[in-house]
Amino acid sequence: MIIEPRIWGFICTTAHPAGCAANVRDAIARTRALGTRDDGPQRVLVIGASSGYGLAARITSAFGFGAATLGVFREKPPKARKSGSAGWYNAAAFEQAARAAGLPAVSLEADAFAPATKARAIELIKHELGGPVDLVVYSLAAPARTLADGSTAHTVLKPIGEPFHGLTIDTDSDRLHEVALEPASEHEVADTVRVMGGEDWRYWIEALANGDALAPHARTVAFSYLGPELTWPIYRHGTIGRAKEHLEHTASVLRKMLGRPDAARVALLKSLVTQASAAIPVIPLYLAVVRKVLAERGQRECAIDQQNRLFRDFLYPPGGRALVVDEAGRLRLDERELAPAVQRACREIWSRIDNDNLSGLTDYAGYKRAFARLHGFAREDIDYAADVDPLVDFAPFTA
């Protein structure tokens, strides 16, 4: 069949298997170009491993350090006449490349929040991965979570305390418009923390430790985002920000539980075009602005660049140097984006944006191209007019 992009707002309902595979190959090539080190993790569990920073962390672990990996994700498989999700194709391409390189790679397609998934992952670590993991990467960005009592908690993107009014982009019409959001209720805040906070991260580490699937010297890292003051009303000071604060508190809890100061950290990463970030009001417009500013300074990093820097310079620095953290104990890979000169340039552009100069002042075209590329589209080396089989050779384990 011919697979075309079907995009409405921040949702794309199709994905191209050849384009997704090419994206994965590119990330592997960028990692291999940096060389393979033998002083890092040997067995890695990545929770949320099929796209974005989670996929990049898995690629870096395997092709940058030669690690065996277990990736956990929830994705939509293809059908005979219907494409699967981009994450499905990404995971399939990674597993194929890893095994071709002689690297153990195990995939578990299941609800990461479910206790049964944790139990199944422990079995796979013991019987398929070859021993306890020494690095756990927590990279979940989920819209909902089924709780132990059977109820569902939902992620809500709202301000806290007072209404929010701001500028964003309608990506269907390519026009700016004002967005107005009422403040979240206490219930909505609590639900967002349950989904996007650190509770499930802690449950994973406890389950692994109790199941003898966590190496004595294991580390764990979770990904977060601080962002600039331009986005704080809807992000850091909103429901998502409250969840990220909980994630950071959880890191300190895990350090005490594991008994080592380097055992658990939150890594603050740069902004990135992802399915999740595209859903947050204001963020797409900010991304269009900051992409242009960073590109002009030669400082724009993609997901795989950030993860290689995280692993090589922070988690496993040469010579065994101590971790470098900020005053809150966080690893900071957002320092280039949040540099004062970069943010001054962003604010200057922001103050002048209108519908007439949107394309000229920002990298909005690049933002849209990057979003399409997440799903395997917008690549010059793929013939999108050619027939492609949506079914790929991939059979992940299930819980």
Side-chain angles (χ1 to χ4, degrees):
M1 62 184 292
I2 295 173
I3 301 176
E4 299 178 334
R6 296 179 183 174
I7 300 174
W8 292 272
F10 59 85
I11 299 294
C12 182
T13 61
T14 56
H16 199 282
C20 290
N23 290 342
V24 171
R25 287 195 300 271
D26 285 352
I28 291 171
R30 291 177 80 91
T31 300
R32 279 177 158 160
L34 298 174
T36 302
R37 285 173 42 184
D38 60 3
D39 57 348
Q42 296 181 333
R43 286 177 291 273
V44 179
L45 167 63
V46 181
I47 304 158
S50 55
S51 62
Y53 281 127
L55 173 65
R58 195 177 187 193
I59 290 171
T60 302
S61 299
F63 292 93
F65 290 85
T69 61
L70 167 59
V72 179
F73 50 84
R74 190 78 177 270
E75 292 292 348
K76 182 182 71 175
K79 298 180 180 180
R81 299 295 299 172
K82 187 175 182 180
S83 80
S85 62
W88 182 274
Y89 292 134
N90 292 339
F94 169 84
E95 190 168 295
Q96 182 182 36
R99 292 184 173 179
L103 298 168
V106 182
S107 296
L108 174 57
E109 202 279 325
D111 177 9
F113 294 114
T117 301
K118 296 173 178 65
R120 184 65 164 135
I122 290 169
E123 291 178 2
L124 294 173
I125 288 169
K126 292 180 176 180
H127 302 298
E128 301 289 336
L129 215 61
V133 295
D134 50 14
L135 176 64
V136 179
V137 176
Y138 191 79
S139 180
L140 281 187
R145 172 187 174 186
T146 301
L147 303 175
D149 62 2
S151 64
T152 302
H154 295 273
T155 298
V156 176
L157 304 169
K158 287 186 176 182
I160 294 175
E162 57 186 43
F164 169 77
H165 298 272
L167 197 63
T168 192
I169 303 178
D170 180 338
T171 53
D172 290 331
S173 65
D174 299 330
R175 304 282 292 178
L176 300 173
H177 74 95
E178 291 284 335
V179 60
L181 297 173
E182 291 300 311
S185 67
E186 291 184 6
H187 177 76
E188 289 174 322
V189 174
D191 265 13
T192 304
V193 172
R194 289 188 184 101
V195 181
M196 295 291 288
E199 183 178 59
D200 190 61
W201 183 24
R202 177 170 60 85
Y203 287 168
W204 268 101
I205 300 304
E206 290 174 345
L208 293 166
N210 293 335
D212 296 323
L214 195 66
H217 59 287
R219 295 179 180 180
T220 183
V221 61
F223 299 150
S224 187
Y225 177 65
L226 179 63
E229 292 185 20
L230 279 171
T231 66
W232 281 2
I234 191 62
Y235 194 89
R236 195 65 186 185
H237 294 164
T239 52
I240 292 294
R242 187 68 59 83
K244 297 303 185 182
E245 290 172 3
H246 187 273
L247 190 74
E248 292 172 13
H249 173 71
T250 301
S252 65
V253 172
L254 292 175
R255 287 195 293 273
K256 292 177 182 177
M257 186 186 91
L258 297 172
R260 299 192 325 279
D262 66 340
R265 295 290 175 183
V266 166
L268 295 183
L269 305 175
K270 70 174 291 293
S271 59
L272 193 70
V273 180
T274 66
Q275 186 77 64
S277 67
I280 305 174
V282 179
I283 296 294
L285 178 56
Y286 169 71
L287 284 167
V289 172
V290 76
R291 282 172 58 88
K292 184 178 182 67
V293 173
L294 288 173
E296 289 174 347
R297 287 162 168 75
Q299 292 183 322
R300 197 160 73 194
E301 292 177 297
C302 60
I304 197 64
D305 297 333
Q306 279 261 293
Q307 288 303 302
N308 270 295
R309 193 153 68 89
L310 172 65
F311 276 66
R312 294 169 186 271
D313 297 343
F314 288 82
L315 292 178
Y316 303 98
R321 297 193 307 268
L323 293 181
V324 177
V325 298
D326 68 4
E327 68 284 352
R330 304 169 300 194
L331 306 174
R332 299 299 297 266
L333 283 89
D334 58 352
E335 81 285 11
R336 298 174 184 176
E337 176 182 342
L338 297 186
V342 170
Q343 288 305 309
R344 280 196 301 272
C346 288
R347 288 192 297 271
E348 194 278 331
I349 292 173
W350 194 277
S351 68
R352 297 192 290 126
I353 292 175
D354 58 33
N355 282 313
D356 293 330
N357 62 24
L358 174 63
S359 296
L361 284 183
T362 77
D363 186 26
Y364 178 53
Y367 169 85
K368 294 199 74 172
R369 187 167 54 251
F371 183 81
R373 193 158 177 153
L374 289 176
H375 305 275
F377 300 108
R379 290 189 61 100
E380 296 180 354
D381 55 350
I382 300 295
D383 181 2
Y384 294 106
D387 278 326
V388 62
D389 188 351
L391 301 178
V392 295
D393 184 17
F394 184 46
F397 289 94
T398 57

